[in-house]
Amino acid sequence: MLFPFKLASLLFKVIFITSLIIILAISLNAWLNITLQESSIKNLIYEKAKIISEFIERNVIRTMEKGRHFEIQNILRTFTYRGIYKINIYSPDGLIKATTIESELNKRTTDIEFLLNNQHFIKEEIINGVNGIKNLEKVFYYNTPILNHRECFGCHDPNMKIIGILSVGNTLKEMDDKISKVKKDAFMIAIFTIISLSLILGLLYIKFVNIPIKKISKVMRKVEEGDLNIKVDLKNEDEIGRLAKDLNTMIEKLNFTKKEAERYHQELIQRADRMATIGELASGIAHEIRNPLAGIQGAIQVLSEGFPQGDSRREVTNEIQKQVHKLERLVKDLLHYAKPAPQNFLETDINKLVDRVLSFFINQGGGLNNIKIVKRFFPSLPKVIIDPDSLEQAFLNIMLNAQKAMPDGGIFTVSTKPWNLDKIYAVQIIFEDTGIGIPRENINKIFNPFFSTRPDGTGLGLSITKNIVEQHGGRIDVESEVNVGTKFIITLPIINNK
């Protein structure tokens, strides 16, 4: 087949819609053309009947003036041109005084008033054809009243206004045949034009649209299968050609991005391997450091107790103990970061867990330096499946950061509420302080390991907190403004998908 297209294809839609538009346009043009030609043919027929009527009227009046009434019949016969069915002259009382049809001579019609009131009309009559076959045809009658002139007063009463009616009957068969031929020709031309234009448009569409689109579609399928070295081979300078160029550019960029992603993935694997090695090494070193630190701390404590109160050496030993305690905390955080403890997930009431951590924080804070605690717990909060011990540490890390961010006191607000996160029902725990805040340039760094802006910080607290939250399938967000405060938002799914 020349056009093997499907009904749902773009080719079919374009050809169908275009053909429909062409059909409507050509049909309208053909209708207008036929109407104009039909009107022109009718006008010619009517004009012909009018001219013949006027000519006959003049000849009849001239003959009557000469008193040669017997010649009127012959005059009428001389005007029986092609298409003239019959010519009648009626007297005012309806008597046919002269006619081209001998059988109707001296007959009387009862339609004389109709003839006077209708200058022209069309009537269907049975007419004998050339071969003697009778046909029902339409006849156009043009009626002209014969007025009484001064020259006619010799034979007619001067008071009479109309002395007769001239009726010329013109058969419309020739006109109908011409109109039928015009319609047939117009129809054939329209069909030929529609088919030709549809074929031409179809071929042009296939060449300039369908084939290029198939090439583009084939390349896109190859790209979908993973072949990013393929290109669309189109030299067109039109919109489809520009589309092909844009697609080639996109494929090149995708290929470049794929290579970059593969390279980055390899780097991540290598980095992960290095981090795993470092983690194992750090864990081993931390274990090795922990025991000597415990011995040093015990020895310094004994040594410190041997010095009397007020001895300057006791201040030195106290400072050593602080540094040892800091090292011990660093080792503990490093161990937890490098090798987290096994988790034990339980169904937990998050309000009770947060309240318990807050109580421990308050009791261990020694007054909290004028920090006011505000609790806003959502009642009937759904329970979550979590490891309470690890989340206690995460919450406590945030509380300790908030305490250090408010050295002169402030308000620390802890809130809980339900939350809908990507169609997964979750709960949120919000920790908000009115402390010094975090500079904007540090917001994206605070969860990095060993990043800290405090001289006594290890830089592992928030990293550990983030890891714990993500291990529960949740996320942690931070909002902060310098000298206004900081807000940590922890979102935990009700059902852990990890």
Side-chain angles (χ1 to χ4, degrees):
M1 293 178 65
L2 184 59
F3 293 115
F5 46 75
K6 300 178 181 178
L7 294 180
S9 67
L10 181 61
L11 176 59
F12 174 79
K13 293 176 182 177
V14 170
I15 298 300
F16 178 77
I17 294 173
T18 305
S19 299
L20 188 61
I21 294 172
I22 292 173
I23 290 171
L24 292 175
I26 292 178
S27 300
L28 179 62
N29 180 68
W31 177 78
L32 290 173
N33 187 42
I34 290 171
T35 303
L36 290 174
Q37 292 200 44
E38 185 176 354
S39 177
S40 177
I41 292 171
K42 286 181 179 179
N43 288 335
L44 286 174
I45 297 295
Y46 299 161
E47 193 66 26
K48 173 184 173 183
K50 181 180 178 182
I51 292 171
I52 291 174
S53 296
E54 292 176 351
F55 193 74
I56 292 173
E57 182 184 7
R58 286 197 296 269
N59 280 273
V60 168
I61 291 173
R62 190 178 299 114
T63 301
M64 291 174 66
E65 288 175 354
K66 294 178 180 180
R68 304 174 68 176
H69 296 77
F70 57 88
E71 294 182 0
I72 294 176
Q73 190 74 15
N74 293 328
I75 291 173
L76 296 184
R77 291 195 188 100
T78 60
F79 288 97
T80 55
Y81 303 126
R82 186 180 66 177
I84 299 296
Y85 166 51
K86 67 179 176 180
I87 304 172
N88 289 344
I89 296 178
Y90 297 90
S91 64
D93 59 355
L95 184 67
I96 299 176
K97 304 291 289 183
T99 179
T100 55
I101 299 178
E102 296 291 339
S103 61
E104 294 187 2
L105 187 63
N106 294 323
K107 288 185 178 181
R108 192 179 300 275
T109 180
T110 57
D111 296 333
I112 194 67
E113 290 296 328
F114 178 80
L115 297 177
L116 286 171
N117 294 327
N118 294 275
Q119 187 179 24
H120 51 76
F121 61 89
I122 295 175
K123 182 180 178 183
E124 288 188 341
E125 294 189 10
I126 297 176
I127 299 175
N128 291 325
V130 178
N131 299 325
I133 300 174
K134 294 183 179 181
N135 299 311
L136 182 64
E137 297 181 13
K138 290 186 292 185
V139 180
F140 171 72
Y141 285 97
Y142 189 87
N143 307 306
T144 305
I146 302 174
L147 302 179
N148 191 8
H149 297 280
R150 183 178 297 277
E151 295 83 358
C152 303
F153 289 170
C155 299
H156 297 280
D157 186 355
N159 294 322
M160 295 177 63
K161 185 177 180 181
I162 297 174
I163 60 175
I165 297 173
L166 173 63
S167 178
V168 179
N170 199 104
T171 178
L172 296 182
K173 185 178 185 305
E174 182 180 358
M175 182 191 76
D176 290 340
D177 291 343
K178 287 182 178 179
I179 292 174
S180 178
K181 185 176 183 303
V182 167
K183 290 180 178 179
K184 182 179 178 181
D185 292 344
F187 177 76
M188 295 302 295
I189 292 171
I191 293 296
F192 176 76
T193 304
I194 290 168
I195 293 175
S196 300
L197 288 177
S198 296
L199 288 173
I200 292 171
L201 285 172
L203 292 172
L204 290 174
Y205 178 85
I206 289 174
K207 181 178 180 181
F208 294 109
V209 178
N210 191 255
I211 293 176
I213 286 178
K214 284 185 176 179
K215 288 184 178 180
I216 293 174
S217 179
K218 183 178 179 181
V219 170
M220 292 179 70
R221 284 195 296 271
K222 291 287 186 181
V223 171
E224 186 178 359
E225 292 170 0
D227 185 2
L228 297 179
N229 295 314
I230 194 169
K231 287 187 177 181
V232 183
D233 184 18
L234 280 180
K235 306 299 182 183
N236 305 33
E237 296 297 330
D238 53 15
E239 289 80 358
I240 294 181
R242 290 196 292 272
L243 176 62
K245 290 179 182 179
D246 292 341
L247 180 60
N248 287 336
T249 302
M250 185 188 71
I251 293 172
E252 291 176 0
K253 291 181 178 179
L254 283 174
N255 195 18
F256 176 78
T257 304
K258 178 185 176 184
K259 291 179 180 178
E260 287 293 312
E262 289 175 349
R263 184 180 61 81
Y264 182 68
H265 181 65
Q266 291 298 324
E267 290 180 358
L268 286 179
I269 292 175
Q270 294 173 5
R271 188 182 303 173
D273 291 340
R274 289 196 300 269
M275 289 298 293
T277 303
I278 292 172
E280 292 294 331
L281 181 61
S283 178
I285 293 174
H287 279 293
E288 292 298 326
I289 293 175
R290 208 169 193 182
N291 292 331
L293 276 179
I296 292 171
Q297 187 176 19
I300 292 297
Q301 187 174 0
V302 172
L303 184 62
S304 177
E305 291 175 353
F307 298 132
Q309 292 290 337
D311 193 326
S312 58
R313 290 173 296 179
R314 193 177 183 93
E315 294 179 4
V316 175
T317 56
N318 289 339
E319 183 61 30
I320 293 173
Q321 285 185 6
K322 288 181 181 178
Q323 296 301 322
V324 170
H325 178 70
K326 180 179 178 181
L327 285 172
E328 188 180 36
R329 183 159 53 87
L330 176 60
V331 170
K332 180 182 177 182
D333 289 345
L334 186 60
L335 277 172
H336 193 281
Y337 182 77
K339 195 173 183 180
Q343 294 180 325
N344 181 26
F345 288 92
L346 302 171
E347 188 178 59
T348 306
D349 186 329
I350 204 72
N351 284 339
K352 291 182 179 179
L353 178 64
V354 174
D355 193 46
R356 185 166 67 247
V357 178
L358 266 176
S359 299
F360 175 79
F361 172 65
I362 294 170
N363 293 331
Q364 297 297 319
L368 297 180
N369 297 329
N370 298 321
I371 294 176
K372 180 182 179 182
I373 304 295
V374 178
K375 293 188 288 187
R376 295 174 180 168
F377 294 164
F378 187 88
S380 303
L381 198 67
K383 292 185 177 181
V384 292
I385 306 297
I386 60 171
D387 175 24
D389 295 335
S390 60
L391 275 179
E392 280 184 6
Q393 182 181 358
F395 296 160
L396 188 59
N397 288 341
I398 294 176
M399 294 176 187
L400 290 172
N401 277 348
Q403 181 184 21
K404 293 172 181 177
M406 297 183 289
D408 299 325
I411 301 174
F412 183 57
T413 305
V414 182
S415 308
T416 62
K417 65 177 183 179
W419 185 250
N420 190 325
L421 178 65
D422 298 331
K423 297 184 179 179
I424 300 174
Y425 288 99
V427 296
Q428 280 191 338
I429 307 96
I430 303 168
F431 303 93
E432 187 173 2
D433 64 62
T434 57
I436 58 176
I438 303 170
R440 182 173 297 178
E441 62 271 16
N442 292 338
I443 287 289
N444 295 327
K445 302 177 184 178
I446 60 173
F447 295 111
N448 294 341
F450 305 109
F451 176 80
S452 178
T453 57
R454 295 192 304 270
D456 60 339
T458 64
L460 290 172
L462 290 178
S463 297
I464 293 171
T465 300
K466 186 173 185 292
N467 288 343
I468 292 172
V469 172
E470 290 178 349
Q471 286 168 6
H472 284 77
R475 75 181 191 193
I476 181 168
D477 301 297
V478 60
E479 300 172 5
S480 186
E481 187 175 346
V482 175
N483 297 325
V484 174
T486 303
K487 180 191 293 185
F488 284 93
I489 305 168
I490 294 177
T491 307
L492 297 172
I494 293 174
I495 299 177
N496 183 23
N497 295 319
K498 290 294 181 178

